[in-house]
């Protein structure tokens, strides 16, 4: 730290140079960046310390703030998730420029330097994205330990490129788009799609788990497809998390389709062409899905609870 006497004794330029020597300098926007992306071990340890302090000191058991803990922890994980999404999009925005520069290569040093600069920028952004993803996954694991629930974003998918999740949840719209997009094909959960429907309250979850265990035994590569609803679908989602089974979630788009959203969701689910549909007691929406699946020739297995 500089005292008043020190700053008066040296020039402003000397102070800046000494700061750069001690702490390093950030490059200008668009310039090559030789700094390390992050200190992984320190960052992850610091994250755990922050979350532990939050739970133990800010919202401890026995206080009213403890009732808000789950929501606040979810928001903390979501902040890291959205930073990951933002950096992902920043890398995608560089793709057209990279393609143009690759086509424009004419052997000149200027074009080659510009291409190298953009490639380095994309690589740095990708590395930053991976760092935030690892922070997000660590925070999501803390959320699971503290609440007993698996963290999921309210919209979109939850996958991880940098860590092996026990089970990934893929939004159905992302799944359909990815089938047509070579860039994301590698991130699709591979396996046999098996759909589940049923929204009525369930007292005996074991019947559902037993049925899913039987199907999983027949199709070890099973991918569970469901609507993200209550009742049997919620129990099935928790079963998938406990078994490490990937999920494709078809949520209704209420903003776009209004009251028709659940029926449009059924159409979207069937576009995935599941191997079969397991039907537990549900509402008229569930029966609509069963009827449409039958018309398409998709085997339906009804199970009473």
């Amino acid at each position: 730290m500089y005292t008043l006497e020190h700053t008066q004794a040296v020039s402003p330029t000397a102070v800046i140079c000494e700061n750069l020597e001690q702490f390093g300098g950030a490059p200008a926007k668009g310039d090559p960046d030789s700094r390390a992306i992050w200190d992984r071990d320190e960052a992850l340890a610091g994250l755990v310390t922050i979350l532990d302090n939050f739970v133990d000191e800010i919202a401890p058991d026995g206080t009213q703030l403890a009732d808000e803990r789950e929501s606040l922890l979810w928001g903390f994980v979501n902040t890291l998730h959205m930073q990951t999404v933002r950096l992902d999009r920043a890398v995608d925005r560089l793709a057209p420029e990279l393609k143009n520069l690759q086509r424009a290569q004419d052997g000149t040093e200027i074009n080659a330097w510009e291409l190298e600069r953009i490639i380095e920028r994309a690589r740095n952004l990708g590395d930053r994205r991976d760092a935030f993803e690892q922070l997000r996954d660590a925070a999501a694991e803390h959320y699971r330990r503290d609440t007993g629930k698996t963290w999921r974003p309210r919209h979109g998918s939850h996958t991880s490129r940098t860590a092996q999740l026990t089970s990934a949840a893929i939004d159905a719209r992302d799944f359909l788009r990815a089938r047509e997009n070579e860039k994301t094909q590698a991130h699709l959960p591979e396996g046999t799609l098996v759909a589940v429907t049923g929204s009525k309250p369930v007292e005996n979850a074991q019947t559902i788990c037993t049925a899913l265990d039987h199907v999983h035994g027949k199709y070890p590569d099973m991918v569970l497809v469901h609507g993200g609803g209550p009742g049997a679908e919620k129990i099935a989602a928790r079963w998938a998390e406990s078994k490490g089974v990937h999920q494709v979630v078809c949520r209704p788009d209420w903003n776009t389709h209004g009251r028709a959203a659940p029926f449009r969701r059924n159409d979207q689910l069937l576009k995935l062409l599941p191997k079969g549909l397991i039907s537990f007691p549900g509402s008229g929406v569930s029966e609509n899905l069963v009827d449409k699946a039958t018309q398409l020739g998709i085997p339906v297995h009804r199970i009473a609870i």
Side-chain angles (χ1 to χ4, degrees):
M1 180 176 292
Y2 288 94
T3 64
L4 179 60
E5 292 78 8
H6 180 77
T7 56
Q8 290 175 341
V10 297
S11 69
T13 302
V15 173
I16 293 173
C17 290
E18 191 169 340
N19 272 324
L20 289 173
E21 184 177 350
Q22 289 185 352
F23 307 113
K29 186 176 181 179
D31 286 348
D33 193 341
S34 60
R35 297 174 299 169
I37 297 296
W38 64 324
D39 187 319
R40 181 181 183 279
D41 293 340
E42 285 196 9
L44 292 175
L47 177 71
V48 171
T49 299
I50 290 171
L51 293 175
D52 285 343
N53 287 340
F54 172 78
V55 171
D56 297 337
E57 298 180 20
I58 299 178
D61 292 331
T63 66
Q64 290 190 23
L65 285 184
D67 296 343
E68 308 297 329
R69 185 191 299 165
E70 179 180 336
S71 176
L72 292 171
L73 283 174
W74 185 94
F76 193 100
V77 183
N78 195 59
T79 298
L80 296 170
H81 174 67
M82 293 311 298
Q83 187 71 0
T84 302
V85 171
R86 184 188 69 80
L87 289 166
D88 225 1
R89 290 172 179 167
V91 174
D92 287 342
R93 284 195 295 270
L94 290 176
E97 189 174 356
L98 275 172
K99 289 181 180 179
N100 290 337
L101 284 170
Q102 286 172 338
R103 284 195 292 264
Q105 290 304 299
D106 55 5
T108 63
E109 186 176 342
I110 292 178
N111 280 346
W113 177 85
E114 184 67 13
L115 177 60
E116 290 175 3
R117 187 181 67 83
I118 297 298
I119 289 174
E120 183 180 9
R121 175 65 175 161
R123 185 181 297 114
N124 286 343
L125 287 173
D127 289 344
R128 290 185 197 178
R129 177 225 170 273
D130 291 348
F132 274 104
E133 182 177 83
Q134 291 183 54
L135 289 168
R136 180 204 66 188
D137 289 351
E141 175 60 20
H142 197 289
Y143 174 88
R144 187 193 64 79
R145 290 199 308 266
D146 194 74
T147 67
K149 301 178 180 179
T150 300
W151 183 87
R152 299 286 185 229
R154 292 196 175 97
H155 304 286
S157 300
H158 178 209
T159 60
S160 181
R161 300 179 190 176
T162 59
Q164 292 295 322
L165 295 177
T166 54
S167 69
I170 314 295
D171 186 270
R173 283 164 290 193
D174 291 343
F175 189 92
L176 287 169
R177 282 193 296 265
R179 275 183 167 174
E180 302 173 359
N181 188 341
E182 293 181 359
K183 171 178 173 291
T184 54
Q185 190 75 28
H187 303 297
L188 286 180
E190 296 181 359
T192 303
L193 300 181
V194 177
V196 169
T197 187
S199 55
K200 287 189 176 180
V202 177
E203 294 184 2
N204 183 14
Q206 188 56 47
T207 302
I208 297 172
C209 295
T210 300
L212 293 172
D213 283 337
H214 176 74
V215 176
H216 193 211
K218 187 176 181 180
Y219 302 107
D221 63 344
M222 171 182 173
V223 176
L224 183 71
V225 182
H226 60 89
E233 293 175 17
K234 185 174 183 179
I235 293 170
R238 291 184 175 177
W239 171 88
E241 291 165 3
S242 68
K243 298 292 185 177
V245 171
H246 293 312
Q247 305 173 51
V248 177
V249 187
C250 305
R251 294 185 178 88
D253 187 349
W254 297 98
N255 292 332
T256 302
H257 302 300
R259 288 182 293 181
F263 302 98
R264 294 291 187 90
R265 183 273 314 281
N266 286 350
D267 295 336
Q268 182 187 55
L269 187 152
L270 293 173
K271 284 182 180 179
L272 301 175
L273 298 177
K275 182 81 172 180
L277 171 65
I278 305 173
S279 174
F280 298 98
S283 63
V285 175
S286 294
E287 288 303 312
N288 174 264
L289 179 61
V290 169
D291 291 343
K292 289 179 175 178
T294 302
Q295 292 172 10
L296 292 173
I298 296 174
V300 177
H301 182 42
R302 290 182 179 269
I303 298 179
I305 300 178

